[in-house]
Short mmCIF file of all heavy atoms in Angstrom, two decimals:
data_model
loop_
_atom_site.label_atom_id
_atom_site.label_comp_id
_atom_site.label_asym_id
_atom_site.label_seq_id
_atom_site.Cartn_x
_atom_site.Cartn_y
_atom_site.Cartn_z
N ALA A 282 99.28 103.26 145.83
CA ALA A 282 98.19 102.36 145.50
C ALA A 282 98.74 100.95 145.31
O ALA A 282 99.93 100.78 145.03
CB ALA A 282 97.48 102.83 144.23
N PRO A 283 97.90 99.92 145.45
CA PRO A 283 98.37 98.55 145.28
C PRO A 283 99.03 98.33 143.92
O PRO A 283 98.49 98.71 142.88
CB PRO A 283 97.08 97.73 145.40
CG PRO A 283 96.19 98.56 146.25
CD PRO A 283 96.49 99.98 145.83
N GLY A 284 100.22 97.73 143.94
CA GLY A 284 100.93 97.45 142.71
C GLY A 284 101.63 98.62 142.08
O GLY A 284 102.22 98.48 141.00
N LYS A 285 101.60 99.78 142.71
CA LYS A 285 102.23 100.97 142.17
C LYS A 285 103.27 101.52 143.13
O LYS A 285 103.28 101.19 144.32
CB LYS A 285 101.19 102.05 141.86
CG LYS A 285 100.19 101.66 140.79
CD LYS A 285 99.26 102.81 140.47
CE LYS A 285 98.30 102.46 139.37
NZ LYS A 285 97.39 103.59 139.04
N GLU A 286 104.15 102.36 142.61
CA GLU A 286 105.16 102.99 143.43
C GLU A 286 104.57 104.17 144.20
O GLU A 286 103.57 104.76 143.80
CB GLU A 286 106.34 103.47 142.58
CG GLU A 286 107.13 102.35 141.93
CD GLU A 286 108.37 102.85 141.23
OE1 GLU A 286 108.53 104.08 141.08
OE2 GLU A 286 109.20 102.01 140.84
N ARG A 287 105.21 104.50 145.30
CA ARG A 287 104.78 105.63 146.09
C ARG A 287 104.99 106.93 145.31
O ARG A 287 106.07 107.16 144.77
CB ARG A 287 105.56 105.67 147.40
CG ARG A 287 104.98 106.56 148.47
CD ARG A 287 105.65 106.31 149.82
NE ARG A 287 105.49 104.93 150.25
CZ ARG A 287 105.95 104.45 151.41
NH1 ARG A 287 106.58 105.25 152.25
NH2 ARG A 287 105.77 103.18 151.71
N GLU A 288 103.97 107.79 145.25
CA GLU A 288 104.04 108.99 144.45
C GLU A 288 103.79 110.24 145.29
O GLU A 288 103.08 110.22 146.29
CB GLU A 288 103.03 108.94 143.30
CG GLU A 288 101.58 108.93 143.73
CD GLU A 288 100.62 108.98 142.56
OE1 GLU A 288 101.08 109.04 141.40
OE2 GLU A 288 99.39 108.96 142.79
N PHE A 289 104.35 111.33 144.83
CA PHE A 289 104.23 112.62 145.49
C PHE A 289 102.81 113.16 145.38
O PHE A 289 102.17 113.05 144.34
CB PHE A 289 105.22 113.61 144.85
CG PHE A 289 104.99 115.04 145.24
CD1 PHE A 289 105.41 115.51 146.48
CD2 PHE A 289 104.38 115.92 144.37
CE1 PHE A 289 105.21 116.84 146.84
CE2 PHE A 289 104.18 117.24 144.71
CZ PHE A 289 104.59 117.70 145.94
N VAL A 290 102.33 113.75 146.48
CA VAL A 290 101.01 114.36 146.51
C VAL A 290 101.11 115.87 146.76
O VAL A 290 100.62 116.68 145.98
CB VAL A 290 100.11 113.73 147.58
CG1 VAL A 290 98.77 114.46 147.66
CG2 VAL A 290 99.88 112.25 147.27
N ALA A 291 101.76 116.25 147.86
CA ALA A 291 101.87 117.65 148.23
C ALA A 291 102.94 117.82 149.29
O ALA A 291 103.32 116.86 149.96
CB ALA A 291 100.53 118.19 148.74
N ASN A 292 103.43 119.04 149.45
CA ASN A 292 104.36 119.31 150.54
C ASN A 292 104.24 120.75 151.02
O ASN A 292 103.64 121.60 150.36
CB ASN A 292 105.82 118.98 150.17
CG ASN A 292 106.38 119.84 149.05
OD1 ASN A 292 106.10 121.03 148.95
ND2 ASN A 292 107.20 119.22 148.20
N PHE A 293 104.80 121.00 152.19
CA PHE A 293 104.81 122.31 152.81
C PHE A 293 106.23 122.63 153.24
O PHE A 293 106.90 121.81 153.87
CB PHE A 293 103.87 122.34 154.03
CG PHE A 293 104.00 123.59 154.85
CD1 PHE A 293 103.28 124.72 154.52
CD2 PHE A 293 104.84 123.62 155.95
CE1 PHE A 293 103.39 125.88 155.28
CE2 PHE A 293 104.96 124.78 156.71
CZ PHE A 293 104.23 125.90 156.37
N ARG A 294 106.71 123.83 152.92
CA ARG A 294 108.05 124.27 153.26
C ARG A 294 108.01 125.35 154.34
O ARG A 294 107.28 126.32 154.22
CB ARG A 294 108.77 124.79 152.02
CG ARG A 294 109.23 123.68 151.07
CD ARG A 294 109.43 124.19 149.67
NE ARG A 294 108.15 124.41 148.99
CZ ARG A 294 108.02 124.99 147.82
NH1 ARG A 294 109.09 125.43 147.17
NH2 ARG A 294 106.82 125.13 147.28
N SER A 295 108.83 125.18 155.37
CA SER A 295 108.78 126.04 156.55
C SER A 295 109.32 127.44 156.31
O SER A 295 108.88 128.39 156.96
CB SER A 295 109.54 125.40 157.71
OG SER A 295 110.93 125.34 157.43
N THR A 296 110.27 127.60 155.42
CA THR A 296 110.94 128.88 155.24
C THR A 296 110.01 130.00 154.79
O THR A 296 110.09 131.12 155.29
CB THR A 296 112.08 128.76 154.22
OG1 THR A 296 111.60 128.16 153.02
CG2 THR A 296 113.21 127.91 154.79
N ASP A 297 109.13 129.72 153.86
CA ASP A 297 108.23 130.73 153.35
C ASP A 297 106.76 130.32 153.41
O ASP A 297 105.89 131.07 152.96
CB ASP A 297 108.60 131.10 151.91
CG ASP A 297 108.59 129.92 150.96
OD1 ASP A 297 108.24 128.80 151.40
OD2 ASP A 297 108.95 130.10 149.79
N GLY A 298 106.49 129.15 153.96
CA GLY A 298 105.12 128.69 154.07
C GLY A 298 104.50 128.29 152.75
O GLY A 298 103.26 128.20 152.65
N SER A 299 105.31 128.07 151.74
CA SER A 299 104.79 127.73 150.42
C SER A 299 104.48 126.24 150.32
O SER A 299 104.97 125.43 151.10
CB SER A 299 105.78 128.14 149.33
OG SER A 299 107.00 127.43 149.47
N SER A 300 103.67 125.90 149.33
CA SER A 300 103.25 124.52 149.12
C SER A 300 103.42 124.13 147.66
O SER A 300 103.52 124.99 146.77
CB SER A 300 101.79 124.33 149.53
OG SER A 300 101.58 124.69 150.88
N ASP A 301 103.45 122.84 147.42
CA ASP A 301 103.57 122.30 146.07
C ASP A 301 102.62 121.12 145.96
O ASP A 301 102.41 120.40 146.94
CB ASP A 301 105.01 121.87 145.79
CG ASP A 301 105.26 121.51 144.34
OD1 ASP A 301 104.53 122.04 143.47
OD2 ASP A 301 106.18 120.72 144.07
N TYR A 302 102.06 120.93 144.76
CA TYR A 302 101.07 119.88 144.57
C TYR A 302 101.33 119.11 143.28
O TYR A 302 101.77 119.68 142.28
CB TYR A 302 99.65 120.45 144.51
CG TYR A 302 99.22 121.16 145.76
CD1 TYR A 302 99.43 122.52 145.90
CD2 TYR A 302 98.60 120.47 146.80
CE1 TYR A 302 99.04 123.19 147.05
CE2 TYR A 302 98.21 121.13 147.95
CZ TYR A 302 98.42 122.48 148.07
OH TYR A 302 98.02 123.14 149.21
N ALA A 303 101.03 117.83 143.32
CA ALA A 303 101.06 117.04 142.10
C ALA A 303 99.91 117.48 141.20
O ALA A 303 98.85 117.91 141.67
CB ALA A 303 100.93 115.56 142.42
N ASP A 304 100.11 117.38 139.89
CA ASP A 304 99.08 117.81 138.95
C ASP A 304 97.76 117.06 139.15
O ASP A 304 96.68 117.62 138.94
CB ASP A 304 99.57 117.62 137.51
CG ASP A 304 100.67 118.59 137.14
OD1 ASP A 304 100.80 119.63 137.79
OD2 ASP A 304 101.41 118.30 136.17
N SER A 305 97.85 115.82 139.57
CA SER A 305 96.66 114.99 139.72
C SER A 305 95.74 115.44 140.85
O SER A 305 94.56 115.08 140.87
CB SER A 305 97.06 113.53 139.94
OG SER A 305 97.86 113.39 141.10
N VAL A 306 96.27 116.23 141.80
CA VAL A 306 95.46 116.67 142.94
C VAL A 306 95.31 118.18 143.01
O VAL A 306 94.57 118.68 143.86
CB VAL A 306 96.04 116.15 144.27
CG1 VAL A 306 96.22 114.64 144.22
CG2 VAL A 306 97.37 116.84 144.59
N LYS A 307 95.99 118.90 142.16
CA LYS A 307 95.96 120.36 142.18
C LYS A 307 94.53 120.87 141.99
O LYS A 307 93.82 120.44 141.08
CB LYS A 307 96.88 120.92 141.09
CG LYS A 307 97.20 122.40 141.22
CD LYS A 307 98.30 122.81 140.24
CE LYS A 307 99.59 122.06 140.51
NZ LYS A 307 100.68 122.48 139.59
N GLY A 308 94.12 121.78 142.87
CA GLY A 308 92.77 122.31 142.81
C GLY A 308 91.78 121.54 143.65
O GLY A 308 90.68 122.03 143.92
N ARG A 309 92.14 120.34 144.08
CA ARG A 309 91.27 119.51 144.90
C ARG A 309 91.81 119.32 146.31
O ARG A 309 91.05 119.26 147.27
CB ARG A 309 91.06 118.14 144.26
CG ARG A 309 90.39 118.19 142.89
CD ARG A 309 90.03 116.79 142.41
NE ARG A 309 91.21 115.94 142.24
CZ ARG A 309 91.41 114.80 142.88
NH1 ARG A 309 90.51 114.35 143.75
NH2 ARG A 309 92.51 114.09 142.65
N PHE A 310 93.13 119.22 146.44
CA PHE A 310 93.77 118.99 147.73
C PHE A 310 94.44 120.27 148.21
O PHE A 310 94.95 121.05 147.41
CB PHE A 310 94.83 117.90 147.63
CG PHE A 310 94.29 116.50 147.40
CD1 PHE A 310 92.96 116.29 147.09
CD2 PHE A 310 95.14 115.41 147.49
CE1 PHE A 310 92.46 115.01 146.88
CE2 PHE A 310 94.66 114.13 147.28
CZ PHE A 310 93.33 113.92 146.97
N THR A 311 94.46 120.46 149.52
CA THR A 311 95.11 121.62 150.12
C THR A 311 95.87 121.20 151.37
O THR A 311 95.31 120.55 152.24
CB THR A 311 94.09 122.71 150.50
OG1 THR A 311 93.34 123.09 149.35
CG2 THR A 311 94.82 123.94 151.05
N ILE A 312 97.14 121.58 151.44
CA ILE A 312 97.95 121.28 152.61
C ILE A 312 98.01 122.52 153.49
O ILE A 312 98.09 123.65 152.99
CB ILE A 312 99.37 120.82 152.20
CG1 ILE A 312 100.12 120.22 153.38
CG2 ILE A 312 100.16 121.95 151.57
CD1 ILE A 312 101.42 119.53 152.98
N SER A 313 97.96 122.33 154.80
CA SER A 313 97.99 123.45 155.73
C SER A 313 98.72 123.06 157.01
O SER A 313 98.94 121.87 157.28
CB SER A 313 96.58 123.94 156.06
OG SER A 313 95.82 122.91 156.68
#
Side-chain angles (χ1 to χ4, degrees):
K285 297 184 178 181
E286 294 187 350
R287 195 168 301 182
E288 65 176 359
F289 168 78
V290 175
N292 64 38
F293 170 86
R294 285 157 285 172
S295 67
T296 52
D297 57 4
S299 62
S300 303
D301 189 26
Y302 299 91
D304 290 339
S305 60
V306 306
K307 194 171 299 181
R309 298 189 298 121
F310 291 10
T311 303
I312 192 170
S313 61

